[in-house]
Amino acid sequence: MDKNMILSPWPKRTVRHMSSFNNTPSAVLVPIVEVGGELRFLYEVRSMALHWQPGDISFPGGKIEPSDSNAEAAAIRETMEELSVRREDIHILSPLDYVESVTGVDIYPFAAHLDAYENIRCTAEVDHLFTVPIRWFMDHQPEKADMDLATRPGTHFPVDIYYPGNPMDWRRRKSYFVYVYRYNGYRIWGMTAQITKHCVELIQKM
């Protein structure tokens, strides 16, 4: 092969995202509702019957399906399904920063105002709902909690290419932090807290 060809500027091309993690593209809505004249974020407590993160606090959302035209459409569809709200009651305010999770999910969040808070109802995926005043987040900074990320070879990993003497057990790879908000007995943490914090920061800049 011609060395000069390799070392010359390469043809322009579309850059692909190369990842072996196979993260699931997902979308969530950050619902802002008005309760008693006060603006609040609306949160879900996930049903204990779910296989994925039962009992966790989250925003309405889920996997982006092939039938969804884009991430925003997925966030709206999931919100309608989980909260029994009408499309005309959902008003998108802004996309938020894309979030990559070490737990295998890539999230596209959207801030939105929901009308008719009194008509919102839980479906089977949701144990119950609660709200937190946006002003409360402006007055309270989140805690930071450390998390460890570890890996180990899978059942069918070829032992002969792993270093000699390794017990094929968990190996700590890195530490990272997550945000934690504590409000009236609720613990909002992880990606939900990260998205909340980002949304609050955008509101404060208005």
Side-chain angles (χ1 to χ4, degrees):
M1 181 173 286
D2 187 344
K3 180 179 71 174
N4 292 327
M5 180 184 297
I6 295 176
L7 299 180
S8 299
W10 293 10
K12 291 184 178 179
R13 59 181 298 275
T14 301
V15 177
R16 293 179 299 144
H17 179 59
M18 296 180 62
S19 173
S20 60
F21 295 123
N22 298 319
N23 279 7
T24 302
S26 303
V28 301
L29 204 76
V30 180
I32 297 175
V33 296
E34 186 172 350
V35 182
E38 181 179 48
L39 293 179
R40 292 171 166 251
F41 288 131
L42 175 67
Y43 295 92
E44 298 178 348
V45 178
R46 293 168 59 82
S47 168
M48 293 301 295
L50 297 175
H51 296 295
W52 175 258
Q53 296 180 314
D56 274 6
I57 291 171
S58 68
F59 291 120
K63 180 182 177 182
I64 300 174
E65 301 290 351
S67 57
D68 296 317
S69 58
N70 51 38
E72 180 180 314
I76 291 172
R77 174 184 55 76
E78 289 282 351
T79 301
M80 292 172 62
E81 292 174 0
E82 294 176 22
L83 302 182
S84 299
V85 296
R86 303 177 304 172
R87 173 62 185 89
E88 55 265 36
D89 290 332
I90 302 174
H91 309 282
I92 298 295
L93 301 173
S94 176
L96 304 175
D97 285 352
Y98 157 86
V99 180
E100 277 189 324
S101 163
V102 297
T103 59
V105 180
D106 294 342
I107 296 183
Y108 297 85
F110 297 85
H113 173 237
L114 298 190
D115 290 336
Y117 168 70
E118 64 280 2
N119 294 331
I120 294 174
R121 298 291 182 271
C122 297
T123 55
E125 295 182 36
V126 183
D127 183 82
H128 66 278
L129 305 170
F130 70 96
T131 64
V132 183
I134 294 177
R135 173 58 59 186
W136 183 89
F137 289 103
M138 295 181 178
D139 297 333
H140 296 81
Q141 290 299 311
E143 304 170 28
K144 285 186 179 181
D146 293 330
M147 294 283 286
D148 285 337
L149 181 65
T151 61
R152 70 176 177 184
T155 304
H156 303 293
F157 191 90
V159 179
D160 61 308
I161 67 170
Y162 218 54
Y163 65 83
N166 181 66
M168 304 292 282
D169 206 347
W170 288 102
R171 294 177 62 195
R172 179 178 170 277
R173 294 295 184 178
K174 65 176 292 186
S175 291
Y176 62 99
F177 71 85
V178 295
Y179 292 116
V180 180
Y181 289 103
R182 299 176 187 271
Y183 176 80
N184 286 359
Y186 291 106
R187 294 177 295 276
I188 303 166
W189 71 286
M191 288 184 294
T192 302
Q194 184 176 346
I195 294 169
T196 297
K197 185 175 186 297
H198 173 51
C199 192
V200 171
E201 289 170 348
L202 292 179
I203 291 172
Q204 288 177 310
K205 292 177 181 178
M206 291 179 179

